[in-house]
Amino acid sequence: LVLQRTRHRSAAGREEGAREALAQALVMLASGDTSGAVRASLRALARSREGADVHGQRASLRTLARCYRTLGRDGDAESLEASF
């Protein structure tokens, strides 16, 4: 029972961390800090993958693709968009 609670808390923490990183990425992107947005998007993607959160992974990849487009890296953005 204790182990189950610990696992549940760990998974919830990862999901919350992924959402927080994704929100940071969007704010950074809107404020012009594209490199910071890329780093936050990658953090969100990593946490989403740790928690096997498919929706979080897609949202992170979409945000990362937007960052790449802002940086003029359209080919990289297209590759990411093709993955989801």
PDB file of all heavy atoms in Angstrom, residues 39-74:
ATOM      1  N   ARG A  39      14.461  24.912 -24.235  1.00  0.00           N
ATOM      2  CA  ARG A  39      14.900  24.138 -23.063  1.00  0.00           C
ATOM      3  C   ARG A  39      13.703  23.679 -22.221  1.00  0.00           C
ATOM      4  O   ARG A  39      13.650  22.524 -21.791  1.00  0.00           O
ATOM      5  CB  ARG A  39      15.869  24.970 -22.218  1.00  0.00           C
ATOM      6  CG  ARG A  39      17.232  25.120 -22.858  1.00  0.00           C
ATOM      7  CD  ARG A  39      18.251  25.737 -21.902  1.00  0.00           C
ATOM      8  NE  ARG A  39      17.863  27.070 -21.432  1.00  0.00           N
ATOM      9  CZ  ARG A  39      18.112  28.206 -22.085  1.00  0.00           C
ATOM     10  NH1 ARG A  39      18.756  28.176 -23.246  1.00  0.00           N
ATOM     11  NH2 ARG A  39      17.745  29.362 -21.573  1.00  0.00           N
ATOM     12  N   ALA A  40      12.741  24.560 -22.010  1.00  0.00           N
ATOM     13  CA  ALA A  40      11.561  24.189 -21.214  1.00  0.00           C
ATOM     14  C   ALA A  40      10.728  23.126 -21.937  1.00  0.00           C
ATOM     15  O   ALA A  40      10.202  22.213 -21.298  1.00  0.00           O
ATOM     16  CB  ALA A  40      10.720  25.427 -20.915  1.00  0.00           C
ATOM     17  N   SER A  41      10.621  23.234 -23.253  1.00  0.00           N
ATOM     18  CA  SER A  41       9.886  22.220 -24.035  1.00  0.00           C
ATOM     19  C   SER A  41      10.543  20.857 -23.922  1.00  0.00           C
ATOM     20  O   SER A  41       9.867  19.829 -23.787  1.00  0.00           O
ATOM     21  CB  SER A  41       9.816  22.626 -25.511  1.00  0.00           C
ATOM     22  OG  SER A  41       9.089  23.802 -25.677  1.00  0.00           O
ATOM     23  N   LEU A  42      11.866  20.845 -23.970  1.00  0.00           N
ATOM     24  CA  LEU A  42      12.590  19.577 -23.828  1.00  0.00           C
ATOM     25  C   LEU A  42      12.417  18.988 -22.433  1.00  0.00           C
ATOM     26  O   LEU A  42      12.292  17.765 -22.276  1.00  0.00           O
ATOM     27  CB  LEU A  42      14.065  19.773 -24.159  1.00  0.00           C
ATOM     28  CG  LEU A  42      14.370  20.062 -25.632  1.00  0.00           C
ATOM     29  CD1 LEU A  42      15.827  20.453 -25.808  1.00  0.00           C
ATOM     30  CD2 LEU A  42      14.006  18.872 -26.500  1.00  0.00           C
ATOM     31  N   ARG A  43      12.391  19.855 -21.409  1.00  0.00           N
ATOM     32  CA  ARG A  43      12.125  19.376 -20.041  1.00  0.00           C
ATOM     33  C   ARG A  43      10.727  18.768 -19.957  1.00  0.00           C
ATOM     34  O   ARG A  43      10.528  17.706 -19.363  1.00  0.00           O
ATOM     35  CB  ARG A  43      12.239  20.535 -19.038  1.00  0.00           C
ATOM     36  CG  ARG A  43      13.513  20.608 -18.292  1.00  0.00           C
ATOM     37  CD  ARG A  43      13.490  21.533 -17.087  1.00  0.00           C
ATOM     38  NE  ARG A  43      12.667  22.724 -17.200  1.00  0.00           N
ATOM     39  CZ  ARG A  43      13.051  23.879 -17.739  1.00  0.00           C
ATOM     40  NH1 ARG A  43      14.255  23.995 -18.262  1.00  0.00           N
ATOM     41  NH2 ARG A  43      12.240  24.913 -17.767  1.00  0.00           N
ATOM     42  N   ALA A  44       9.754  19.462 -20.550  1.00  0.00           N
ATOM     43  CA  ALA A  44       8.377  18.951 -20.542  1.00  0.00           C
ATOM     44  C   ALA A  44       8.293  17.610 -21.265  1.00  0.00           C
ATOM     45  O   ALA A  44       7.620  16.684 -20.794  1.00  0.00           O
ATOM     46  CB  ALA A  44       7.441  19.969 -21.192  1.00  0.00           C
ATOM     47  N   LEU A  45       8.987  17.499 -22.373  1.00  0.00           N
ATOM     48  CA  LEU A  45       8.979  16.244 -23.128  1.00  0.00           C
ATOM     49  C   LEU A  45       9.591  15.116 -22.311  1.00  0.00           C
ATOM     50  O   LEU A  45       9.034  14.018 -22.244  1.00  0.00           O
ATOM     51  CB  LEU A  45       9.736  16.427 -24.447  1.00  0.00           C
ATOM     52  CG  LEU A  45       9.821  15.212 -25.349  1.00  0.00           C
ATOM     53  CD1 LEU A  45       8.433  14.732 -25.760  1.00  0.00           C
ATOM     54  CD2 LEU A  45      10.652  15.546 -26.591  1.00  0.00           C
ATOM     55  N   ALA A  46      10.709  15.387 -21.666  1.00  0.00           N
ATOM     56  CA  ALA A  46      11.366  14.355 -20.851  1.00  0.00           C
ATOM     57  C   ALA A  46      10.457  13.892 -19.719  1.00  0.00           C
ATOM     58  O   ALA A  46      10.326  12.688 -19.472  1.00  0.00           O
ATOM     59  CB  ALA A  46      12.675  14.889 -20.293  1.00  0.00           C
ATOM     60  N   ARG A  47       9.839  14.825 -19.035  1.00  0.00           N
ATOM     61  CA  ARG A  47       8.956  14.442 -17.916  1.00  0.00           C
ATOM     62  C   ARG A  47       7.722  13.705 -18.410  1.00  0.00           C
ATOM     63  O   ARG A  47       7.239  12.783 -17.754  1.00  0.00           O
ATOM     64  CB  ARG A  47       8.595  15.676 -17.111  1.00  0.00           C
ATOM     65  CG  ARG A  47       9.801  16.195 -16.363  1.00  0.00           C
ATOM     66  CD  ARG A  47       9.459  17.236 -15.358  1.00  0.00           C
ATOM     67  NE  ARG A  47      10.669  17.621 -14.655  1.00  0.00           N
ATOM     68  CZ  ARG A  47      10.997  18.866 -14.383  1.00  0.00           C
ATOM     69  NH1 ARG A  47      10.194  19.855 -14.707  1.00  0.00           N
ATOM     70  NH2 ARG A  47      12.110  19.137 -13.738  1.00  0.00           N
ATOM     71  N   SER A  48       7.206  14.111 -19.561  1.00  0.00           N
ATOM     72  CA  SER A  48       6.046  13.411 -20.125  1.00  0.00           C
ATOM     73  C   SER A  48       6.408  11.986 -20.507  1.00  0.00           C
ATOM     74  O   SER A  48       5.620  11.065 -20.315  1.00  0.00           O
ATOM     75  CB  SER A  48       5.528  14.155 -21.361  1.00  0.00           C
ATOM     76  OG  SER A  48       5.049  15.415 -21.006  1.00  0.00           O
ATOM     77  N   ARG A  49       7.598  11.812 -21.031  1.00  0.00           N
ATOM     78  CA  ARG A  49       8.038  10.457 -21.396  1.00  0.00           C
ATOM     79  C   ARG A  49       8.252   9.601 -20.160  1.00  0.00           C
ATOM     80  O   ARG A  49       7.929   8.417 -20.181  1.00  0.00           O
ATOM     81  CB  ARG A  49       9.311  10.526 -22.237  1.00  0.00           C
ATOM     82  CG  ARG A  49       9.035  10.966 -23.647  1.00  0.00           C
ATOM     83  CD  ARG A  49      10.271  10.994 -24.492  1.00  0.00           C
ATOM     84  NE  ARG A  49       9.920  11.263 -25.884  1.00  0.00           N
ATOM     85  CZ  ARG A  49      10.779  11.607 -26.807  1.00  0.00           C
ATOM     86  NH1 ARG A  49      12.064  11.736 -26.497  1.00  0.00           N
ATOM     87  NH2 ARG A  49      10.382  11.841 -28.041  1.00  0.00           N
ATOM     88  N   GLU A  50       8.800  10.184 -19.104  1.00  0.00           N
ATOM     89  CA  GLU A  50       8.988   9.427 -17.855  1.00  0.00           C
ATOM     90  C   GLU A  50       7.663   8.902 -17.339  1.00  0.00           C
ATOM     91  O   GLU A  50       7.592   7.796 -16.813  1.00  0.00           O
ATOM     92  CB  GLU A  50       9.618  10.318 -16.779  1.00  0.00           C
ATOM     93  CG  GLU A  50      11.068  10.638 -16.992  1.00  0.00           C
ATOM     94  CD  GLU A  50      11.578  11.678 -16.001  1.00  0.00           C
ATOM     95  OE1 GLU A  50      10.812  12.114 -15.113  1.00  0.00           O
ATOM     96  OE2 GLU A  50      12.747  12.061 -16.131  1.00  0.00           O
ATOM     97  N   GLY A  51       6.622   9.702 -17.480  1.00  0.00           N
ATOM     98  CA  GLY A  51       5.308   9.313 -16.993  1.00  0.00           C
ATOM     99  C   GLY A  51       4.447   8.618 -18.024  1.00  0.00           C
ATOM    100  O   GLY A  51       3.281   8.338 -17.776  1.00  0.00           O
ATOM    101  N   ALA A  52       5.017   8.347 -19.206  1.00  0.00           N
ATOM    102  CA  ALA A  52       4.279   7.714 -20.305  1.00  0.00           C
ATOM    103  C   ALA A  52       2.998   8.481 -20.629  1.00  0.00           C
ATOM    104  O   ALA A  52       1.966   7.908 -20.936  1.00  0.00           O
ATOM    105  CB  ALA A  52       3.971   6.250 -19.989  1.00  0.00           C
ATOM    106  N   ASP A  53       3.087   9.812 -20.576  1.00  0.00           N
ATOM    107  CA  ASP A  53       1.954  10.699 -20.848  1.00  0.00           C
ATOM    108  C   ASP A  53       1.973  11.076 -22.323  1.00  0.00           C
ATOM    109  O   ASP A  53       2.672  11.995 -22.737  1.00  0.00           O
ATOM    110  CB  ASP A  53       2.062  11.942 -19.954  1.00  0.00           C
ATOM    111  CG  ASP A  53       0.978  12.970 -20.220  1.00  0.00           C
ATOM    112  OD1 ASP A  53       0.040  12.685 -20.995  1.00  0.00           O
ATOM    113  OD2 ASP A  53       1.076  14.079 -19.649  1.00  0.00           O
ATOM    114  N   VAL A  54       1.201  10.369 -23.119  1.00  0.00           N
ATOM    115  CA  VAL A  54       1.197  10.561 -24.568  1.00  0.00           C
ATOM    116  C   VAL A  54       0.718  11.965 -24.932  1.00  0.00           C
ATOM    117  O   VAL A  54       1.289  12.622 -25.803  1.00  0.00           O
ATOM    118  CB  VAL A  54       0.328   9.488 -25.266  1.00  0.00           C
ATOM    119  CG1 VAL A  54       0.229   9.742 -26.754  1.00  0.00           C
ATOM    120  CG2 VAL A  54       0.891   8.111 -24.997  1.00  0.00           C
ATOM    121  N   HIS A  55      -0.324  12.441 -24.265  1.00  0.00           N
ATOM    122  CA  HIS A  55      -0.844  13.780 -24.564  1.00  0.00           C
ATOM    123  C   HIS A  55       0.191  14.857 -24.220  1.00  0.00           C
ATOM    124  O   HIS A  55       0.370  15.820 -24.971  1.00  0.00           O
ATOM    125  CB  HIS A  55      -2.146  14.033 -23.810  1.00  0.00           C
ATOM    126  CG  HIS A  55      -3.243  13.107 -24.209  1.00  0.00           C
ATOM    127  ND1 HIS A  55      -3.804  13.117 -25.471  1.00  0.00           N
ATOM    128  CD2 HIS A  55      -3.868  12.134 -23.527  1.00  0.00           C
ATOM    129  CE1 HIS A  55      -4.732  12.183 -25.531  1.00  0.00           C
ATOM    130  NE2 HIS A  55      -4.792  11.561 -24.370  1.00  0.00           N
ATOM    131  N   GLY A  56       0.876  14.672 -23.116  1.00  0.00           N
ATOM    132  CA  GLY A  56       1.924  15.606 -22.725  1.00  0.00           C
ATOM    133  C   GLY A  56       3.077  15.597 -23.705  1.00  0.00           C
ATOM    134  O   GLY A  56       3.660  16.645 -24.021  1.00  0.00           O
ATOM    135  N   GLN A  57       3.407  14.415 -24.218  1.00  0.00           N
ATOM    136  CA  GLN A  57       4.479  14.308 -25.210  1.00  0.00           C
ATOM    137  C   GLN A  57       4.104  15.054 -26.486  1.00  0.00           C
ATOM    138  O   GLN A  57       4.914  15.795 -27.044  1.00  0.00           O
ATOM    139  CB  GLN A  57       4.765  12.843 -25.520  1.00  0.00           C
ATOM    140  CG  GLN A  57       5.413  12.107 -24.368  1.00  0.00           C
ATOM    141  CD  GLN A  57       5.591  10.638 -24.667  1.00  0.00           C
ATOM    142  OE1 GLN A  57       6.048  10.263 -25.732  1.00  0.00           O
ATOM    143  NE2 GLN A  57       5.220   9.799 -23.706  1.00  0.00           N
ATOM    144  N   ARG A  58       2.877  14.885 -26.931  1.00  0.00           N
ATOM    145  CA  ARG A  58       2.428  15.572 -28.147  1.00  0.00           C
ATOM    146  C   ARG A  58       2.434  17.086 -27.951  1.00  0.00           C
ATOM    147  O   ARG A  58       2.874  17.833 -28.832  1.00  0.00           O
ATOM    148  CB  ARG A  58       1.030  15.105 -28.544  1.00  0.00           C
ATOM    149  CG  ARG A  58       1.028  13.733 -29.138  1.00  0.00           C
ATOM    150  CD  ARG A  58      -0.345  13.358 -29.643  1.00  0.00           C
ATOM    151  NE  ARG A  58      -0.341  11.978 -30.060  1.00  0.00           N
ATOM    152  CZ  ARG A  58      -1.327  11.117 -29.807  1.00  0.00           C
ATOM    153  NH1 ARG A  58      -2.386  11.506 -29.148  1.00  0.00           N
ATOM    154  NH2 ARG A  58      -1.232   9.883 -30.221  1.00  0.00           N
ATOM    155  N   ALA A  59       1.941  17.534 -26.803  1.00  0.00           N
ATOM    156  CA  ALA A  59       1.923  18.977 -26.525  1.00  0.00           C
ATOM    157  C   ALA A  59       3.342  19.533 -26.484  1.00  0.00           C
ATOM    158  O   ALA A  59       3.612  20.628 -26.999  1.00  0.00           O
ATOM    159  CB  ALA A  59       1.200  19.241 -25.209  1.00  0.00           C
ATOM    160  N   SER A  60       4.248  18.783 -25.907  1.00  0.00           N
ATOM    161  CA  SER A  60       5.642  19.217 -25.834  1.00  0.00           C
ATOM    162  C   SER A  60       6.264  19.291 -27.223  1.00  0.00           C
ATOM    163  O   SER A  60       6.980  20.245 -27.550  1.00  0.00           O
ATOM    164  CB  SER A  60       6.451  18.260 -24.957  1.00  0.00           C
ATOM    165  OG  SER A  60       5.938  18.238 -23.649  1.00  0.00           O
ATOM    166  N   LEU A  61       5.991  18.296 -28.052  1.00  0.00           N
ATOM    167  CA  LEU A  61       6.526  18.286 -29.408  1.00  0.00           C
ATOM    168  C   LEU A  61       5.940  19.423 -30.249  1.00  0.00           C
ATOM    169  O   LEU A  61       6.653  20.049 -31.038  1.00  0.00           O
ATOM    170  CB  LEU A  61       6.268  16.935 -30.076  1.00  0.00           C
ATOM    171  CG  LEU A  61       7.099  15.776 -29.528  1.00  0.00           C
ATOM    172  CD1 LEU A  61       6.594  14.452 -30.099  1.00  0.00           C
ATOM    173  CD2 LEU A  61       8.578  15.975 -29.843  1.00  0.00           C
ATOM    174  N   ARG A  62       4.649  19.700 -30.070  1.00  0.00           N
ATOM    175  CA  ARG A  62       4.030  20.818 -30.788  1.00  0.00           C
ATOM    176  C   ARG A  62       4.685  22.143 -30.394  1.00  0.00           C
ATOM    177  O   ARG A  62       4.970  22.985 -31.243  1.00  0.00           O
ATOM    178  CB  ARG A  62       2.533  20.892 -30.491  1.00  0.00           C
ATOM    179  CG  ARG A  62       1.708  19.930 -31.272  1.00  0.00           C
ATOM    180  CD  ARG A  62       0.213  20.223 -31.119  1.00  0.00           C
ATOM    181  NE  ARG A  62      -0.517  19.060 -31.506  1.00  0.00           N
ATOM    182  CZ  ARG A  62      -1.134  18.227 -30.684  1.00  0.00           C
ATOM    183  NH1 ARG A  62      -1.155  18.462 -29.392  1.00  0.00           N
ATOM    184  NH2 ARG A  62      -1.760  17.171 -31.129  1.00  0.00           N
ATOM    185  N   THR A  63       4.903  22.305 -29.098  1.00  0.00           N
ATOM    186  CA  THR A  63       5.531  23.539 -28.610  1.00  0.00           C
ATOM    187  C   THR A  63       6.966  23.646 -29.112  1.00  0.00           C
ATOM    188  O   THR A  63       7.409  24.715 -29.536  1.00  0.00           O
ATOM    189  CB  THR A  63       5.480  23.589 -27.071  1.00  0.00           C
ATOM    190  OG1 THR A  63       4.119  23.462 -26.655  1.00  0.00           O
ATOM    191  CG2 THR A  63       6.039  24.897 -26.545  1.00  0.00           C
ATOM    192  N   LEU A  64       7.682  22.547 -29.092  1.00  0.00           N
ATOM    193  CA  LEU A  64       9.049  22.531 -29.600  1.00  0.00           C
ATOM    194  C   LEU A  64       9.075  22.873 -31.094  1.00  0.00           C
ATOM    195  O   LEU A  64       9.935  23.638 -31.553  1.00  0.00           O
ATOM    196  CB  LEU A  64       9.685  21.166 -29.335  1.00  0.00           C
ATOM    197  CG  LEU A  64      11.176  21.036 -29.560  1.00  0.00           C
ATOM    198  CD1 LEU A  64      11.962  22.059 -28.749  1.00  0.00           C
ATOM    199  CD2 LEU A  64      11.621  19.625 -29.192  1.00  0.00           C
ATOM    200  N   ALA A  65       8.114  22.364 -31.844  1.00  0.00           N
ATOM    201  CA  ALA A  65       8.020  22.683 -33.274  1.00  0.00           C
ATOM    202  C   ALA A  65       7.771  24.182 -33.472  1.00  0.00           C
ATOM    203  O   ALA A  65       8.372  24.800 -34.359  1.00  0.00           O
ATOM    204  CB  ALA A  65       6.918  21.861 -33.934  1.00  0.00           C
ATOM    205  N   ARG A  66       6.919  24.772 -32.645  1.00  0.00           N
ATOM    206  CA  ARG A  66       6.687  26.227 -32.732  1.00  0.00           C
ATOM    207  C   ARG A  66       7.967  26.993 -32.451  1.00  0.00           C
ATOM    208  O   ARG A  66       8.263  27.992 -33.122  1.00  0.00           O
ATOM    209  CB  ARG A  66       5.593  26.651 -31.746  1.00  0.00           C
ATOM    210  CG  ARG A  66       4.205  26.247 -32.183  1.00  0.00           C
ATOM    211  CD  ARG A  66       3.145  26.631 -31.190  1.00  0.00           C
ATOM    212  NE  ARG A  66       3.121  28.061 -30.919  1.00  0.00           N
ATOM    213  CZ  ARG A  66       2.438  28.608 -29.930  1.00  0.00           C
ATOM    214  NH1 ARG A  66       1.725  27.849 -29.120  1.00  0.00           N
ATOM    215  NH2 ARG A  66       2.461  29.905 -29.747  1.00  0.00           N
ATOM    216  N   CYS A  67       8.725  26.543 -31.489  1.00  0.00           N
ATOM    217  CA  CYS A  67      10.012  27.179 -31.172  1.00  0.00           C
ATOM    218  C   CYS A  67      10.945  27.108 -32.376  1.00  0.00           C
ATOM    219  O   CYS A  67      11.578  28.104 -32.747  1.00  0.00           O
ATOM    220  CB  CYS A  67      10.680  26.490 -29.985  1.00  0.00           C
ATOM    221  SG  CYS A  67       9.843  26.689 -28.405  1.00  0.00           S
ATOM    222  N   TYR A  68      11.033  25.931 -32.981  1.00  0.00           N
ATOM    223  CA  TYR A  68      11.915  25.757 -34.128  1.00  0.00           C
ATOM    224  C   TYR A  68      11.487  26.643 -35.294  1.00  0.00           C
ATOM    225  O   TYR A  68      12.327  27.212 -35.984  1.00  0.00           O
ATOM    226  CB  TYR A  68      11.981  24.293 -34.551  1.00  0.00           C
ATOM    227  CG  TYR A  68      12.825  23.429 -33.642  1.00  0.00           C
ATOM    228  CD1 TYR A  68      12.730  22.056 -33.686  1.00  0.00           C
ATOM    229  CD2 TYR A  68      13.729  23.975 -32.739  1.00  0.00           C
ATOM    230  CE1 TYR A  68      13.508  21.239 -32.871  1.00  0.00           C
ATOM    231  CE2 TYR A  68      14.514  23.179 -31.919  1.00  0.00           C
ATOM    232  CZ  TYR A  68      14.397  21.812 -31.994  1.00  0.00           C
ATOM    233  OH  TYR A  68      15.168  21.014 -31.191  1.00  0.00           O
ATOM    234  N   ARG A  69      10.188  26.776 -35.511  1.00  0.00           N
ATOM    235  CA  ARG A  69       9.709  27.660 -36.583  1.00  0.00           C
ATOM    236  C   ARG A  69      10.118  29.103 -36.296  1.00  0.00           C
ATOM    237  O   ARG A  69      10.542  29.825 -37.197  1.00  0.00           O
ATOM    238  CB  ARG A  69       8.208  27.561 -36.738  1.00  0.00           C
ATOM    239  CG  ARG A  69       7.778  26.298 -37.418  1.00  0.00           C
ATOM    240  CD  ARG A  69       6.459  26.440 -38.129  1.00  0.00           C
ATOM    241  NE  ARG A  69       6.065  25.138 -38.629  1.00  0.00           N
ATOM    242  CZ  ARG A  69       6.500  24.612 -39.775  1.00  0.00           C
ATOM    243  NH1 ARG A  69       7.341  25.269 -40.520  1.00  0.00           N
ATOM    244  NH2 ARG A  69       6.093  23.426 -40.161  1.00  0.00           N
ATOM    245  N   THR A  70      10.002  29.509 -35.036  1.00  0.00           N
ATOM    246  CA  THR A  70      10.394  30.861 -34.656  1.00  0.00           C
ATOM    247  C   THR A  70      11.875  31.093 -34.919  1.00  0.00           C
ATOM    248  O   THR A  70      12.289  32.195 -35.296  1.00  0.00           O
ATOM    249  CB  THR A  70      10.071  31.113 -33.167  1.00  0.00           C
ATOM    250  OG1 THR A  70       8.653  30.932 -32.966  1.00  0.00           O
ATOM    251  CG2 THR A  70      10.450  32.506 -32.728  1.00  0.00           C
ATOM    252  N   LEU A  71      12.677  30.053 -34.736  1.00  0.00           N
ATOM    253  CA  LEU A  71      14.114  30.150 -34.979  1.00  0.00           C
ATOM    254  C   LEU A  71      14.483  30.004 -36.455  1.00  0.00           C
ATOM    255  O   LEU A  71      15.655  30.053 -36.811  1.00  0.00           O
ATOM    256  CB  LEU A  71      14.849  29.071 -34.166  1.00  0.00           C
ATOM    257  CG  LEU A  71      14.829  29.248 -32.654  1.00  0.00           C
ATOM    258  CD1 LEU A  71      15.345  27.991 -31.957  1.00  0.00           C
ATOM    259  CD2 LEU A  71      15.657  30.470 -32.255  1.00  0.00           C
ATOM    260  N   GLY A  72      13.480  29.782 -37.310  1.00  0.00           N
ATOM    261  CA  GLY A  72      13.743  29.602 -38.736  1.00  0.00           C
ATOM    262  C   GLY A  72      14.178  28.198 -39.101  1.00  0.00           C
ATOM    263  O   GLY A  72      14.699  27.971 -40.194  1.00  0.00           O
ATOM    264  N   ARG A  73      13.965  27.275 -38.197  1.00  0.00           N
ATOM    265  CA  ARG A  73      14.348  25.876 -38.439  1.00  0.00           C
ATOM    266  C   ARG A  73      13.118  25.080 -38.890  1.00  0.00           C
ATOM    267  O   ARG A  73      12.653  24.164 -38.231  1.00  0.00           O
ATOM    268  CB  ARG A  73      14.950  25.286 -37.167  1.00  0.00           C
ATOM    269  CG  ARG A  73      16.263  25.955 -36.777  1.00  0.00           C
ATOM    270  CD  ARG A  73      16.781  25.506 -35.449  1.00  0.00           C
ATOM    271  NE  ARG A  73      16.951  24.057 -35.366  1.00  0.00           N
ATOM    272  CZ  ARG A  73      17.406  23.437 -34.285  1.00  0.00           C
ATOM    273  NH1 ARG A  73      17.756  24.126 -33.210  1.00  0.00           N
ATOM    274  NH2 ARG A  73      17.525  22.122 -34.273  1.00  0.00           N
ATOM    275  N   ASP A  74      12.584  25.477 -40.043  1.00  0.00           N
ATOM    276  CA  ASP A  74      11.342  24.879 -40.538  1.00  0.00           C
ATOM    277  C   ASP A  74      11.454  23.384 -40.794  1.00  0.00           C
ATOM    278  O   ASP A  74      10.504  22.637 -40.545  1.00  0.00           O
ATOM    279  CB  ASP A  74      10.871  25.596 -41.806  1.00  0.00           C
ATOM    280  CG  ASP A  74      10.440  27.030 -41.525  1.00  0.00           C
ATOM    281  OD1 ASP A  74      10.040  27.323 -40.379  1.00  0.00           O
ATOM    282  OD2 ASP A  74      10.507  27.858 -42.454  1.00  0.00           O
TER     283      ASP A  74
END
